[in-house]
């Protein structure tokens, strides 16, 4: 919301040149989106086809769109999109070694997130299943609703996973954002 307000304030006092630069940057964003969707094969080729005086702003827009499409994915489609965005970052950097290394490290972190997330799910489920079995053992002989315990266990698993996954996601998001900022710094 703060960014929207800041942008609105800038737009209110923006010069014609600033408005034009922003429009050019938006065209770069669209070109990067086309790349991500597979309708553009090469960002560098597309960039060099643009007027020379607009290339810096177009490149800036491309970089922002690509960085926005690097995220903690949870499925194969998200993984493919993130990989494509990373590929675009590498291409637009001219395969600069430092940017390539940052991208590689960031991809490793993204992969670790998914492994860590799966391990977390297994650990929480195992731990709560053991507690469930202990509760059943304690309640043998009593007339207790087994179905109620099963529902309570499922609810508890979901609750614990939600808490732990939110914390895990926050930590990994912070790391990914640091990588993105490092890329932004090098591609300015």
């Amino acid at each position: 919301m703060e960014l929207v307000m800041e942008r609105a304030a800038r737009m209110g006092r923006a010069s014609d040149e600033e408005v034009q630069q922003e429009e050019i940057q938006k065209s770069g964003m669209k070109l990067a989106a086309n790349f991500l969707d597979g309708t553009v094969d090469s960002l560098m080729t597309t960039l060099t086809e643009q007027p020379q005086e607009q290339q810096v702003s177009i490149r800036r827009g491309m970089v922002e769109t690509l960085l926005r499409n690097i995220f903690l994915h949870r499925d194969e489609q998200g993984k493919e999109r993130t990989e494509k965005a990373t590929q675009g970052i590498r291409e637009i950097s001219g395969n600069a070694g430092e940017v390539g290394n940052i991208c590689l490290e960031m991809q490793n972190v993204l992969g670790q997130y998914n492994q860590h997330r799966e391990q977390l799910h297994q650990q929480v489920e195992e731990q709560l299943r053991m507690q469930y079995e202990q509760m059943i053992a304690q309640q043998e002989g009593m007339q207790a609703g087994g179905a109620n315990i099963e529902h309570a266990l499922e609810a508890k698993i979901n609750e614990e996973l939600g808490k732990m996954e939110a914390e895990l996601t926050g930590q990994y998001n912070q790391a990914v954002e640091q990588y993105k900022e490092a890329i932004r710094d090098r591609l300015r």
Side-chain angles (χ1 to χ4, degrees):
M1 184 65 164
E2 186 177 309
L3 291 173
V4 172
M5 296 302 288
E6 183 178 309
R7 187 173 179 193
R10 271 193 319 223
M11 292 301 286
R13 63 175 192 257
S15 69
D16 289 339
E17 183 180 328
E18 288 172 330
V19 171
Q20 184 181 12
Q21 288 300 316
E22 190 165 318
E23 289 302 314
I24 293 168
Q25 193 170 343
K26 284 181 186 177
S27 72
M29 291 174 167
K30 289 176 187 172
L31 292 170
N34 290 341
F35 170 77
L36 292 168
D37 292 337
T39 58
V40 170
D41 292 328
S42 170
L43 287 173
M44 286 307 289
T45 301
T46 303
L47 183 60
T48 57
E49 292 171 351
Q50 305 306 311
Q52 181 78 30
E53 66 276 0
Q54 294 180 1
Q55 288 182 10
V56 171
S57 292
I58 291 171
R59 183 173 182 251
R60 234 182 249 129
M62 288 176 164
V63 168
E64 282 308 311
T65 294
L66 294 169
L67 290 175
R68 284 186 191 138
N69 281 277
I70 297 174
F71 53 90
L72 298 174
H73 49 82
R74 295 177 182 216
D75 58 21
E76 195 59 35
Q77 185 179 13
K79 180 181 179 185
E80 289 171 9
R81 187 127 179 125
T82 297
E83 287 173 354
K84 183 84 171 181
T86 304
Q87 174 192 342
I89 291 291
R90 285 183 173 155
E91 181 185 346
I92 211 162
S93 73
N95 288 316
E98 196 171 349
V99 172
N101 288 338
I102 294 169
C103 287
L104 184 60
E105 288 177 29
M106 185 169 52
Q107 282 184 305
N108 288 337
V109 167
L110 293 169
Q112 289 171 357
Y113 167 73
N114 284 317
Q115 289 175 341
H116 200 167
R117 193 172 154 259
E118 287 174 24
Q119 289 171 348
L120 179 69
H121 278 250
Q122 290 172 352
Q123 289 171 351
V124 167
E125 205 165 315
E126 286 175 22
Q127 185 180 29
L128 291 176
R129 289 254 175 241
M130 286 180 7
Q131 290 175 2
Y132 168 73
E133 289 171 5
Q134 288 174 353
M135 284 175 27
I136 294 295
Q138 290 174 357
Q139 290 185 355
E140 278 187 11
M142 292 185 234
Q143 285 197 345
N148 289 340
I149 292 174
E150 187 68 36
H151 289 295
L153 173 65
E154 191 173 323
K156 184 70 172 169
I157 288 173
N158 289 336
E159 178 186 337
E160 288 299 314
L161 282 175
K163 287 178 192 175
M164 295 176 102
E165 196 169 315
E167 185 178 323
L168 180 72
T169 299
Q171 291 170 357
Y172 275 88
N173 267 330
Q174 186 177 19
V176 169
E177 287 304 316
Q178 289 173 351
Y179 286 117
K180 287 180 177 183
E181 195 56 42
I183 290 169
R184 268 188 201 96
D185 289 345
R186 281 149 184 91
L187 294 180
R188 282 193 179 143

